[in-house]
Amino acid sequence: MENPLTPEVLADPVALTRALVDIESVSRDEKEIADCVEEVLRNVPHLTVARHSNTIMARTDLGRAQRVVLAGHLDTVPLNNNFPSTVQGDLIYGCGTSDMKSGVAYALHLAVSVPEPRYDVTYFFYEAEEIESRYNGLTLVAQAHPEWLTADFAVLLEPTHGVVEAGCQGTMRAIVSATGRRAHSARSWNGVNAIHGIGGALNRLAGYQARMVTIDGCVYREGMNAVRISGGVAGNVVPDLCEMEVNYRFAPDRTAEEAEAHVREVFDGYLVRVTDSAPGALPGLTAAPAREFLTAVGADPIGKLGWTDVSRFAALGIPALNFGPGDPNLAHAPDEHVEIGKIRDGAATLHRWLASH
Ligand SMILES: [Zn+2]
């Protein structure tokens, strides 16, 4: 097959977005797109290229004082009658237009067209971001070639609609339970009703004042919610157990341990069992490349509320943020699209940041 990523296409981030969208690459089926990207990069004299599975790494080695990562995932969610791409006015429609082949187009366009960036750059085009973490290309690279990830700052080109989203919130799930004593409901005074017992915990949640935390100018709004509740034995039995699952989304100034302590404090007197937790990531916008990036964008960052691969870099001590042209609300939607104007604006911003000295 002829590689559709021709020099003319690579020179234009809009044409490149379309060409990438038109190479089908649902998670676990990224070989073809990875082959095309690898072939392009191997022909670029200023880059060193390596591959692990269907993840391609390309880097400059100019001896700059700082190194930044630009990363985008090659995979998409399953197609939904939205392949190949179509154009209507200023919009490109199709699977992966927003999440995130328009972002991948930035990285690939910059990789071939900026031979002397102001920092050394490591570009990642990685597989399997949309499915379980164990398949994620960055997970595999961290295990097999951790040295590839060395950097001072990372930009993930995920959809943010052209704004900078920094850091991310942590998430924790816990089971809060009330216990009682079973009895026949005809003689309920012999028992203790555990479902009634959970009422106090629900009241605490209903009255809970979630924090708003500002870090490096980014606002993170926390939330604590009951997401499931279960209890009951039979229609004539006073139940002896009621369990409520709580999800706490916490700002990145709290560690997972501090978040757990807080949940235990809120539900003091109840049994609390943490079932799952992932720490957040501080925005880390004080690093020089991050400040220079924000200057190039010329707008204030906002806090990222979901969990993304930004946390993966934060866990390695590398400040990271999200910046991409797509609208995150359209990611994974059947009418997924991206604005051509936003692609051009963001590409100009990244050029201003990376190519200027
Ligand atoms: Zn994505």
Side-chain angles (χ1 to χ4, degrees):
M1 191 202 72
E2 239 159 79
N3 194 330
L5 309 180
T6 61
E8 300 73 52
V9 166
L10 290 161
D12 174 9
V14 175
L16 185 50
T17 297
R18 274 203 84 175
L20 290 165
V21 169
D22 291 342
I23 306 172
E24 193 181 320
S25 60
V26 176
S27 307
R28 310 294 285 149
D29 192 16
E30 301 97 331
K31 183 179 182 303
E32 183 185 346
I33 196 169
D35 287 350
C36 291
V37 168
E38 181 183 14
E39 186 186 7
V40 163
L41 295 169
R42 294 230 184 248
N43 285 322
V44 178
H46 63 266
L47 295 173
T48 305
V49 181
R51 177 168 180 156
H52 182 86
S53 182
N54 287 324
T55 293
I56 315 295
M57 184 276 287
R59 53 183 284 158
T60 65
D61 286 289
L62 300 163
R64 302 278 196 252
Q66 300 203 275
R67 175 173 292 279
V68 301
V69 162
L70 290 181
H73 60 83
L74 294 171
D75 64 320
T76 69
V77 295
L79 307 183
N80 193 348
N81 293 318
N82 53 3
F83 180 90
S85 65
T86 55
V87 173
Q88 288 172 37
D90 183 50
L91 305 177
I92 306 175
Y93 282 85
C95 186
T97 46
S98 168
D99 186 10
M100 58 173 285
K101 286 180 174 173
S102 46
V104 171
Y106 284 168
L108 196 52
H109 169 72
L110 291 166
V112 301
S113 66
V114 183
E116 295 205 351
R118 70 194 293 186
Y119 322 101
D120 271 312
V121 187
T122 306
Y123 299 95
F124 281 103
F125 304 89
Y126 65 103
E127 62 182 326
E129 189 273 347
E130 298 287 4
I131 55 175
E132 298 118 275
S133 171
R134 67 194 163 105
Y135 298 113
N136 185 303
L138 292 179
T139 303
L140 301 181
V141 163
Q143 288 161 355
H145 310 281
E147 70 283 1
W148 291 5
L149 291 166
T150 304
D152 300 287
F153 175 54
V155 178
L156 287 149
L157 300 157
E158 289 278 6
T160 64
H161 218 193
V163 304
V164 175
E165 294 187 342
C168 74
Q169 300 221 107
T171 178
M172 168 168 297
R173 266 176 276 274
I175 305 290
V176 177
S177 50
T179 54
R181 192 168 59 246
R182 281 193 200 190
H184 197 299
S185 58
R187 295 178 188 78
S188 59
W189 52 88
N190 288 326
V192 177
N193 191 315
I195 292 181
H196 299 183
I198 210 78
L202 281 169
N203 281 336
R204 288 182 205 177
L205 277 180
Y208 182 75
Q209 296 289 329
R211 294 191 312 155
M212 296 254 267
V213 183
T214 303
I215 308 165
D216 290 355
C218 301
V219 178
Y220 298 89
R221 184 171 186 175
E222 296 195 336
M224 195 184 299
N225 283 279
V227 292
R228 191 172 293 135
I229 196 159
S230 65
V233 179
N236 58 356
V237 178
V238 172
D240 58 349
L241 179 66
C242 184
E243 293 189 319
M244 172 172 71
E245 184 177 11
V246 171
N247 184 213
Y248 176 38
R249 297 283 173 151
F250 55 97
D253 64 330
R254 279 189 169 155
T255 63
E257 292 72 32
E258 288 165 340
E260 176 173 347
H262 177 64
V263 170
R264 290 189 182 283
E265 188 184 4
V266 168
F267 297 106
D268 187 33
Y270 288 88
L271 291 169
V272 175
R273 178 166 47 92
V274 172
T275 53
D276 176 36
S277 85
L282 287 166
L285 300 178
T286 49
R291 282 202 318 271
E292 288 153 10
F293 182 83
L294 292 174
T295 303
V297 175
D300 291 332
I302 60 175
K304 182 82 183 169
L305 302 181
W307 201 94
T308 77
D309 274 334
V310 159
S311 304
R312 210 176 280 282
F313 286 96
L316 297 168
I318 303 167
L321 51 76
N322 286 298
F323 176 77
D327 180 342
N329 296 309
L330 296 170
H332 307 186
D335 63 339
E336 180 174 354
H337 58 263
V338 65
E339 293 153 51
I340 287 171
K342 281 260 188 257
I343 297 178
R344 296 213 185 282
D345 289 351
T349 296
L350 288 167
H351 256 283
R352 204 155 57 232
W353 172 58
L354 210 55
S356 66
H357 288 271

